[in-house]
């Protein structure tokens, strides 16, 4: 009744193969996109931008990146925090070395640099997989954080080892630095999220994505049917790191404004993004968004309910928050091991058959 | 379900920002995580002093002080979220974290809120011509480094040449702060500096202390915080490093840092810019008005501890700045701009401290438009393990401004150039 495809005829393969083949889905996608781009910037304030929307959008990019690697290509990675640090430090060096070049270009270049680093650390994946690969990428995490802490060139020899984003603007609007308006910061992140999701969706349903999935499902069989594991695995590492690098660059330059590598890009970041992917749903672009929303929103909502509304002491609330988020993660994974994306898919299937679901 | 969640979120967020008419001094505290042990005590001291003012005097100048608390867990992202959620009402922010301070420095000058970072944060913020909204009196890390070296000079008859001094530091913005000063001081006085970084949070320090045992430094300085301190003191005791040659910065000098090592920590020294113990007249008022009526933060279990006293000291300075601002502005309901004025013309005299009931508790200092950091005086305290208490063993020592001033100039000018700030003329 609410959600059906009766009367939605497709007369070409192209129609049938589009990302949102059902009219209602397509329609809601355009509505959400329109709202996000044309309405939200006018109503956004500092709190919404910095507590909810910016982290959600930025982590969504990181989750898409990790989902490509872990969800689509089956290569477990714990190096996300380290790769985000590469993005952040690349964009910092680029911003301070070439102040006249557009920040948007710098962010893309930072993604490119991270892709190269990701490919380098992806090389072990040709010989090892599963837990062993996870440990190899964990080494990347620790090595990169150590490197950015150790070599003063990366932080321009500042006394404290912190990096601070100078003000850079797009079309006259400051998007980094303290004077940037929440709307400008939000729109830049939205632009990158839109591009990332669009590119990722189209990569994953094309030839490259099929190769990744073949490797994920059974690498030997994939090799027999003609998938080159070297290019498939390394391209997955490259593309994944590209997105993760962009997320790191945005996290530092647009969202935080200043960062310290051990604190902002430590092992906790790797786990956070991994949780997002697992809760959202492995191998799903929508899942990356759902997972990011869950992990970013849940603590903020709980904090505001427990401290703001119920007036609990902050330390008690912080501990309860950890417990609730942890319990919810376990609950979700027991009820729906394939994550929020699968839950959403089930809801849609039930709605299609409504009022007589079976 | 989705719309319900969205509605709930929206509702919860609206509810989080109640309208407040009083003066609001947010407490960005952390009571969880690797640094929670110290953060809890600091937050208690901060809360209790304002509770005392509200209960005993009806606030400051007739305005009640609200101290909403927000948990940052020492995490910069949460710290920013706390700042954003409280900046509408908050006048002055004291995040007790160098990382969060770095994050907030550019924001406060745009939002026009005061940032008060006593004994931590960005050292060069002492230069008020460039850091208009940031205050870090009475002392900063470079002052601390210099005071420690001056104390060692005194111990060694004014000569440190040929000595080896190791710096054990938290490998973060906070821990790296004193390196530049100590390097310069090393050149001036001819000692060798050995840098020994410890990865955060610092539970694992075996290799660092093995290195210290091998290098045999004459003195060890430490910039640590949270769980790192206890481990370091214990490890130093394990390698039988002479405790009286081990000096920590003020954040490494609390009871919780030395108690786990038992008698092994006897003689350990730390810097401090505030008094210790409860032997001050103010604590009687605190007992009558806050602790006995049961209004103390967390039941008052940490009253009088070193870090509690430091939190209270921060509250004292903020309260004095508010009082000063009220006098200048001629109104009790001051805003952040007026509070900034109050900080900039603050004169903490020994007489005023005695009047508050804290004689000789902190250094006398005077702030000005160009000097936001006071005179940087600090003193040394030593742990007496048998009496389980800290004893102040020196008077306030003045740092070596000949070394510090050029460093502060250089660092703040670099910041101004990077961010296109024109220094204020004063």
């Amino acid at each position: 009744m609410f959600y059906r495809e009766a009367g939605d005829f497709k007369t070409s393969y192209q129609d049938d193969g589009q990302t949102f083949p059902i009219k209602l889905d397509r329609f809601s996608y355009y509505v959400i996109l329109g709202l996000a781009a044309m309405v939200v910037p006018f109503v956004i304030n500092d709190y919404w931008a910095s507590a909810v929307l910016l982290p959600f959008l930025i982590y969504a990019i990181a989750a898409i990146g990790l989902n490509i690697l872990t969800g689509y290509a089956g290569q477990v990675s714990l190096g996300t925090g380290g790769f985000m640090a590469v993005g952040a430090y690349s964009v910092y060096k680029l911003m301070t070395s070439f102040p006249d070049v557009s920040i948007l270009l710098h962010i893309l270049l930072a993604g490119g640099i991270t892709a190269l680093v990701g490919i380098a650390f992806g090389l072990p994946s040709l010989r090892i997989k599963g837990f062993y690969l996870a440990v190899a990428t964990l080494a990347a995490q620790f090595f990169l954080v150590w490197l950015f802490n150790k070599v003063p060139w990366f932080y321009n020899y500042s006394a404290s080892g912190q990096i601070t984003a100078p003000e850079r603007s797009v079309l006259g609007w400051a998007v980094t630095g303290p004077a940037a308006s929440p709307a400008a910061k939000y729109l830049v992140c939205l632009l990158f999220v839109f591009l990332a999701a669009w590119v990722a969706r189209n990569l994953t349903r094309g030839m490259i994505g099929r190769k990744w999935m073949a490797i994920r499902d059974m690498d030997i069989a994939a090799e027999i049917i003609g998938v080159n594991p070297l290019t498939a695995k390394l391209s997955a590492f490259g593309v994944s790191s590209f997105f993760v690098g962009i997320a790191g660059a945005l996290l530092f330059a647009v969202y935080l404004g200043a960062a310290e590598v051990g604190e902002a890009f430590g092992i906790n970041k790797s786990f956070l993004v991994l949780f997002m992917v697992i809760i959202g749903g492995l191998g799903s672009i929508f899942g990356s968004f759902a997972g990011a929303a869950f992990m970013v929103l849940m603590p903020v909502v709980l904090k505001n309910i427990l401290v703001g509304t119920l007036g609990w002491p902050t330390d008690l609330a912080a501990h309860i928050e950890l417990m609730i988020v942890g319990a919810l993660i376990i609950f979700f994974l027991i009820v729906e091991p394939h994550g929020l994306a699968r839950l959403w898919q089930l809801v849609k299937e039930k709605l299609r058959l409504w009022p007589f679901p079976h | 379900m989705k719309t319900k969640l969205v509605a709930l979120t929206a509702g919860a967020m609206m509810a989080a920002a109640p309208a407040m008419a009083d003066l609001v001094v947010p407490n960005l505290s952390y009571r969880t995580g690797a640094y929670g042990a110290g953060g809890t005590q600091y937050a208690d001291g901060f809360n209790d002093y304002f509770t005392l003012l509200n209960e005993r005097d009806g606030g400051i100048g007739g305005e009640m002080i609200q101290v909403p608390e927000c948990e940052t867990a020492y995490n910069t992202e949460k710290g920013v979220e706390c700042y954003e959620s409280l900046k509408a009402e908050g006048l002055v922010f004291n995040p007790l974290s160098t990382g969060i301070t770095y994050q907030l420095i550019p924001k406060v000058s745009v939002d026009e809120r005061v940032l008060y970072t006593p004994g931590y944060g960005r050292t060069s913020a002492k230069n008020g011509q460039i850091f208009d909204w940031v205050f870090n009196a009475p002392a900063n890390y470079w002052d601390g480094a210099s005071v420690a070296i001056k104390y060692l000079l005194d111990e060694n008859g004014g000569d440190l040449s040929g000595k080896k001094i190791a710096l054990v530091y938290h490998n973060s913005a906070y821990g790296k702060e004193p390196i530049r000063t100590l390097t310069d001081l090393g050149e001036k006085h001819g000692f060798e500096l050995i840098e020994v970084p410890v990865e955060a949070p610092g539970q694992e320090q075996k290799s660092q202390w093995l290195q210290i045992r091998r290098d045999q430094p004459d003195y060890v300085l430490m910039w640590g915080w949270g769980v790192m301190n206890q481990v370091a003191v214990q490890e130093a005791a394990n390698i039988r490093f002479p405790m009286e040659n081990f000096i920590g910065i003020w954040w490494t000098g609390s009871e919780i840092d030395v108690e786990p090592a038992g008698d092994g920590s006897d003689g350990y020294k730390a810097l401090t810019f505030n008094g210790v113990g409860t032997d001050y007249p103010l604590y009687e008022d605190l007992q009558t008005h806050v602790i006995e009526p049961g209004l103390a933060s967390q039941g008052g279990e940490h009253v009088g501890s070193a870090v509690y006293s430091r939190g209270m000291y921060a509250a004292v300075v903020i309260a004095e700045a508010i009082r000063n601002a009220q006098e200048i502005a001629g109104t009790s309901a001051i805003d952040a701009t007026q509070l900034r004025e109050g900080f900039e013309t603050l004169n903490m005299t020994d007489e005023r401290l005695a009047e508050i009931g804290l004689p000789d508790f902190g250094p006398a200092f005077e702030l000005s438009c160009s000097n936001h950091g006071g005179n940087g005086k600090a003193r040394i305290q030593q742990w007496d393990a048998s009496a389980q208490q800290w004893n102040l063993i020196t008077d306030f020592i003045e740092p070596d401004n000949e070394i510090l001033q050029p460093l502060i100039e250089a660092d703040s000018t670099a910041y101004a150039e990077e961010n296109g700030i024109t220094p204020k003329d004063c």
Side-chain angles (χ1 to χ4, degrees):
Chain A
M1 179 160 199
F2 300 112
Y3 186 83
R4 61 177 39 181
E5 42 205 303
D8 188 3
F9 301 113
K10 292 166 195 84
T11 48
S12 66
Y13 283 120
Q14 211 173 4
D15 281 350
D16 203 32
Q18 54 191 328
T19 292
F20 296 105
I22 298 168
K23 217 182 210 161
L24 187 67
D25 273 353
R26 202 157 57 234
F27 182 68
S28 4
Y29 167 72
Y30 288 130
V31 168
I32 290 172
L33 205 62
L35 282 177
M38 322 245 224
V39 178
V40 175
F42 294 102
V43 296
I44 193 171
N45 63 19
D46 265 339
Y47 182 73
W48 274 90
S50 68
V52 181
L53 289 169
L54 286 186
F56 162 63
L57 294 177
I58 291 168
Y59 283 118
I61 301 179
I64 289 173
L66 185 64
N67 223 333
I68 286 177
L69 189 62
T70 304
Y72 286 98
Q75 311 293 311
V76 186
S77 167
L78 288 174
T80 320
F83 295 134
M84 286 175 90
V86 175
Y89 278 76
S90 315
V91 86
Y92 174 67
K93 284 306 284 187
L94 289 167
M95 280 165 95
T96 48
S97 309
F98 309 102
D100 299 327
V101 179
S102 166
I103 176 77
L104 299 181
L105 201 61
H106 283 328
I107 293 174
L108 285 176
L109 282 174
I113 293 170
T114 318
L116 295 179
V117 176
I119 290 173
F121 281 102
L123 284 172
S125 70
L126 303 174
R127 300 297 290 274
I128 52 181
K129 54 187 179 182
F131 283 125
Y132 304 96
L133 183 63
V135 173
T137 51
L138 194 65
Q141 161 77 45
F142 286 117
F143 170 74
L144 290 168
V145 167
W146 172 83
L147 181 75
F148 292 130
N149 226 338
K150 180 76 187 168
V151 183
W153 180 80
F154 286 114
Y155 48 83
N156 283 358
Y157 305 94
S158 75
S160 56
Q162 283 247 358
I163 53 173
T164 312
E167 185 172 308
R168 296 287 178 264
S169 50
V170 175
L171 305 173
W173 293 81
V175 295
T176 65
S181 68
K185 294 195 272 192
Y186 165 79
L187 281 175
V188 166
C189 292
L190 186 72
L191 172 73
F192 279 102
V193 169
F194 172 73
L195 290 177
W198 186 57
V199 169
R201 169 69 191 160
N202 285 301
L203 274 181
T204 50
R205 65 196 188 129
M207 187 181 66
I208 300 177
R210 281 164 207 282
K211 282 184 181 169
W212 289 340
M213 286 185 266
I215 289 283
R216 170 192 69 190
D217 291 339
M218 195 173 183
D219 50 355
I220 293 175
E223 212 175 334
I224 289 167
I225 59 168
V227 176
N228 182 348
L230 182 124
T231 53
K233 284 180 178 177
L234 290 190
S235 65
F237 265 96
V239 173
S240 158
S241 307
F242 179 76
F243 289 134
V244 171
I246 283 181
L250 289 172
L251 185 78
F252 154 67
V254 178
Y255 174 46
L256 292 176
E260 190 180 321
V261 65
E263 213 274 308
F265 301 107
I267 181 78
N268 287 347
K269 276 278 136 56
S270 298
F271 287 134
L272 183 72
V273 179
L274 189 65
F275 289 157
M276 285 175 185
V277 170
I278 291 175
I279 289 175
L282 283 168
S284 152
I285 302 295
F286 171 78
S288 309
F289 282 93
F294 183 86
M295 293 301 286
V296 169
L297 270 179
M298 212 58 207
V300 176
V301 172
L302 282 176
K303 184 200 124 178
N304 281 313
I305 292 175
L306 298 180
V307 179
T309 314
L310 301 179
W312 288 12
T314 49
D315 53 338
L316 179 67
H319 287 131
I320 298 274
E321 230 174 84
L322 283 176
M323 291 160 65
I324 294 180
V325 172
L328 277 173
I329 291 173
I330 295 172
F331 174 77
F332 261 118
L333 292 184
I334 291 172
V335 175
E336 186 43 84
H338 298 290
L340 293 168
R342 175 75 184 140
L343 217 58
W344 176 236
Q345 211 177 358
L346 284 176
V347 169
K348 287 205 292 188
E349 270 167 31
K350 292 253 188 265
L351 280 175
R352 271 188 200 185
L353 300 171
W354 197 88
F356 305 112
H358 47 77
Chain B
M1 180 204 153
K2 245 193 158 170
T3 45
K4 241 187 199 168
L5 188 70
V6 171
L8 196 66
T9 320
M13 280 171 185
M14 296 302 158
M20 289 189 257
D22 311 328
L23 299 180
V24 180
V25 181
N27 185 358
L28 301 193
S29 65
Y30 43 90
R31 296 172 184 276
T32 60
Y35 311 94
T40 301
Q41 302 193 2
Y42 191 91
D44 285 352
F46 194 82
N47 287 343
D48 284 355
Y49 186 69
F50 286 115
T51 313
L52 173 69
L53 292 183
N54 285 343
E55 291 296 311
R56 190 188 61 187
D57 313 337
I60 303 173
E63 295 283 331
M64 295 294 264
I65 308 293
Q66 291 243 17
V67 191
E69 218 173 308
C70 187
E71 170 75 27
T72 69
Y74 204 75
N75 172 305
T76 46
E77 280 166 62
K78 282 192 188 164
V80 170
E81 197 239 303
C82 282
Y83 169 76
E84 293 291 351
S85 69
L86 290 164
K87 80 173 179 194
E89 310 91 54
L91 296 173
V92 47
F93 289 84
N94 171 21
L96 190 60
S97 149
T98 297
I100 299 175
T101 303
Y102 269 82
Q103 211 75 232
L104 295 184
I105 283 174
K107 290 187 203 288
V108 288
S109 37
V110 172
D111 298 328
E112 312 205 317
R113 291 287 177 275
V114 180
L115 190 61
Y116 177 54
T117 59
Y120 66 91
R122 186 173 192 135
T123 302
S124 59
K126 183 175 184 176
N127 185 352
Q129 288 170 293
I130 286 161
F131 296 92
D132 207 10
W133 290 87
V134 190
F135 296 85
N136 57 2
N140 55 53
Y141 293 137
W142 296 354
D143 294 328
S146 175
V147 167
I149 296 299
K150 260 204 157 170
Y151 171 73
L152 293 179
L153 277 168
D154 280 353
E155 294 274 280
N156 288 282
D159 184 22
L160 280 175
S161 55
K163 301 268 186 209
K164 279 200 269 187
I165 297 179
L167 172 71
V168 178
Y169 64 95
H170 193 263
N171 201 358
S172 67
Y174 154 56
K176 286 179 188 164
E177 282 272 341
I179 294 177
R180 208 168 268 187
T181 319
L182 288 172
T183 315
D184 282 14
L185 284 167
E187 275 166 26
K188 183 173 173 181
H189 299 295
F191 63 82
E192 185 196 341
L193 180 72
I194 305 165
E195 292 173 28
V196 189
V198 174
E199 284 309 319
Q203 281 115 321
E204 184 47 65
Q205 297 179 30
K206 274 271 182 284
S207 61
Q208 281 87 352
W209 288 94
L210 272 177
Q211 188 192 338
I212 286 170
R213 194 164 72 173
R214 198 185 56 216
D215 291 347
Q216 300 275 337
D218 299 281
Y219 296 99
V220 172
L221 300 182
M222 179 160 79
W223 256 245
W225 182 226
V227 69
M228 170 180 167
N229 296 345
Q230 294 106 346
V231 179
V233 173
Q234 182 66 57
E235 291 285 352
N238 290 352
I239 65 163
R240 301 189 192 286
F241 188 83
M243 275 296 167
E244 56 280 2
N245 294 343
F246 186 10
I247 304 180
I249 185 66
W250 32 77
W251 302 116
T252 19
S254 65
E255 288 77 4
I256 39 176
D257 300 331
V258 285
E259 274 165 1
D263 285 343
S265 57
D266 189 50
Y268 170 75
K269 290 171 184 164
L271 292 154
T272 181
F273 53 80
N274 60 272
V276 289
T278 51
D279 209 6
Y280 296 92
L282 183 83
Y283 284 100
E284 287 159 28
D285 283 3
L286 206 63
Q287 187 68 32
T288 353
H289 295 282
V290 179
I291 300 169
E292 269 164 22
L295 298 169
S297 184
Q298 293 208 324
E301 57 174 314
H302 300 299
V303 176
S305 81
V307 180
Y308 178 95
S309 304
R310 201 160 305 130
M312 192 172 83
Y313 181 77
V316 168
V317 176
I318 289 173
E320 288 310 299
I322 291 176
R323 212 183 297 275
N324 190 25
Q326 287 173 334
E327 270 170 33
I328 295 171
T331 165
S332 60
I334 52 162
D335 61 19
T337 318
Q338 288 161 331
L339 178 61
R340 205 191 69 79
E341 288 295 319
F343 262 104
E344 210 156 63
T345 54
L346 184 64
N347 186 5
M348 286 289 273
T349 58
D350 286 327
E351 293 77 52
R352 182 61 197 149
L353 268 176
E355 235 174 82
I356 296 169
L358 294 168
D360 199 32
F361 189 75
F365 66 86
E366 196 174 351
L367 300 184
S368 69
C369 164
S370 60
N371 178 0
H372 281 194
N375 51 25
K377 285 184 182 172
R379 64 209 303 186
I380 306 275
Q381 60 180 9
Q382 187 169 29
W383 179 248
D384 181 346
S386 52
Q388 292 279 300
Q389 66 171 14
W390 289 102
N391 297 315
L392 298 169
I393 56 168
T394 68
D395 214 349
F396 282 105
I397 300 173
E398 193 162 355
D400 184 353
N401 281 315
E402 192 188 312
I403 290 279
L404 298 184
Q405 208 49 45
L407 285 173
I408 286 173
E409 286 292 327
D411 193 69
S412 54
T413 316
Y415 177 84
E417 271 167 22
E418 244 175 62
N419 293 279
I421 296 169
T422 345
K424 261 202 328 188
D425 207 17
C426 56

